[in-house]
Each structure stands twice: as structure tokens, then as C-alpha cells.
Amino acid sequence: MDYLVNLSLLSPDPELDARIQGAAVTIRRALAPELELVTRWVRQTFNAGWSSETTVAFSRQPTSCFMATRDGGLVGFAVYDSIARGFFGPTGVDEAARGAGIGHALLLATLLDMRVMGYGYAIIGDVGPSEFYERTVGATQIPDSEPGVYAGLLNTHP
Ligand SMILES: CC(C)(COP(=O)(O)OP(=O)(O)OC[C@H]1O[C@@H](n2cnc3c(N)ncnc32)[C@H](O)[C@@H]1OP(=O)(O)O)[C@@H](O)C(=O)NCCC(=O)NCCS
């Protein structure tokens, strides 16, 4: 199922920002020189498909990839406009860093950037943790959204 987020209803969240700052985490747009490091981390931490989607996000100028860093290392990432225009994702946070608001902060930073870039709505494709998106940004299910853009992807391990 795909989910929809009304970007007009979003606003910055100073409390979340303070929480992230308190955890010594920085959320920012990824820069071109970081492509190799970020895509390798996504492949090793998640999978090759997400790493490929991240590469496409790096092909945009400015990049449509945001990342969370701590102590000079990556702890999370989020991209948009990769599998299709107007689509958010994939996103992921290092397992050891989950539950601290980093996924929420990455999602919000990315969606607010989509709004600046001119989108009114964001689509979250083929949602896994729907509760995460419902709770953090009020995402709602899109009826008849299956099969979506991810349907029939080449699978090298059938
Ligand atoms: C989904 C993910 C990015 C969330 O990151 P996180 O840093 O742990 O999330 P946060 O700490 O910001 O959580 C924000 C809120 O969402 C909730 N939440 C987080 N992950 C959730 C999940 N998998 N299911 C339901 N609720 C979830 C949290 O409880 C929290 O709610 P609260 O503020 O009421 O306490 C992370 O679990 C992850 O990397 N999962 C594996 C990759 C994945 O599934 N990506 C999404 C692909 S569509």
C-alpha cells in the first residue's frame, strides 16, 4: 500500500529538534562528495536496492538525500524523488539508534524540503511500518494503490 502526506499540514518541530540535538545527532542534506560513503553504508546496513535508490537521489542537484550523523558517522538516511517523482523513501536508521526520534526527524526534514521544492503532497511508496508514518506525519492510505511503482521488481534471489 502507498500512503499520502499533506505537506501543507506539516511544520517544524522544535521539541524534536531539541531531542535530536540532545542526542548529538545532526540532520542535513547529503553532499555529492559523500555519495560513495552513504551508498555503501545503505547497502551494508539495508540492501542493494535501497542503495541504488540513494544513488539516484544523489544524481539530483541539490541532492534529494538527507542523513543523520553522529560523531562523524552515519546513523540514518532518507531520500525522495528516486523511484518516482513525488515519492518519499526509502529511509532507515541504524538498529542501535532507533527509538530516539531520528527516523521522525529525517522524515520531517525531507518532507519539508519536498514542500520547498514545490510539492503539495508526498507519496510514501509500499509502506512497511505504517504506524510510524501515521503517527509522525499523519500519513493516510491511498485507496487502490496496489500494485504500485515497486511491483514486479527484478529479484535476483527468487
Ligand atoms: C522506521 C524507522 C526509520 C523509524 O526510525 P526510528 O528512529 O526508530 O523512529 P523514531 O524514533 O523517530 O520514531 C518515531 C515514532 O514512530 C514510532 N515508530 C518507530 N518505528 C516504528 C515501527 N516500525 N512501527 C510502528 N511505530 C514505529 C515510534 O514509537 C515513535 O513514536 P512516539 O514518538 O509516539 O514514541 C526505523 O525503525 C527503521 O530504520 N526501520 C527499518 C527500515 C524501514 O522499515 N524503513 C521504512 C521503509 S518504508
Side-chain angles (χ1 to χ4, degrees), residues 4-11 111 115 119-122 137-140:
L4 193 69
V5 182
N6 182 349
L7 301 179
S8 309
L9 298 178
L10 298 182
S11 47
L111 294 180
R115 187 168 74 188
Y119 289 108
Y121 290 85
V137 291
T140 52

Side-chain angles (χ1 to χ4, degrees), residues 2 4 11 13 20 26 30 78 94 97 100 107-108 111 117 126 139 143 157:
D2 294 341
L4 193 69
S11 47
D13 184 339
I20 293 302
T26 300
D94 188 75
L107 174 63
L108 190 59
L111 294 180
M117 293 299 176
D126 196 19
H157 303 287

Side-chain angles (χ1 to χ4, degrees), residues 3 9 14-15 30 33 35 40 42 45 51 54 62 72-73 82 91 129 131 143 146-147 152:
Y3 276 64
L9 298 178
E15 243 175 67
L35 181 153
R40 190 188 321 136
V42 173
T45 312
S51 176
T54 304
S82 182
T91 186
E131 228 181 288
E146 256 177 333

Side-chain angles (χ1 to χ4, degrees), residues 122-154:
I123 295 159
I124 303 166
D126 196 19
V127 162
S130 50
E131 228 181 288
F132 166 67
Y133 293 108
E134 286 162 356
R135 203 181 293 184
T136 52
V137 291
T140 52
Q141 264 186 28
I142 301 177
D144 299 325
S145 57
E146 256 177 333
V149 287
Y150 285 92
L153 275 189
L154 188 62

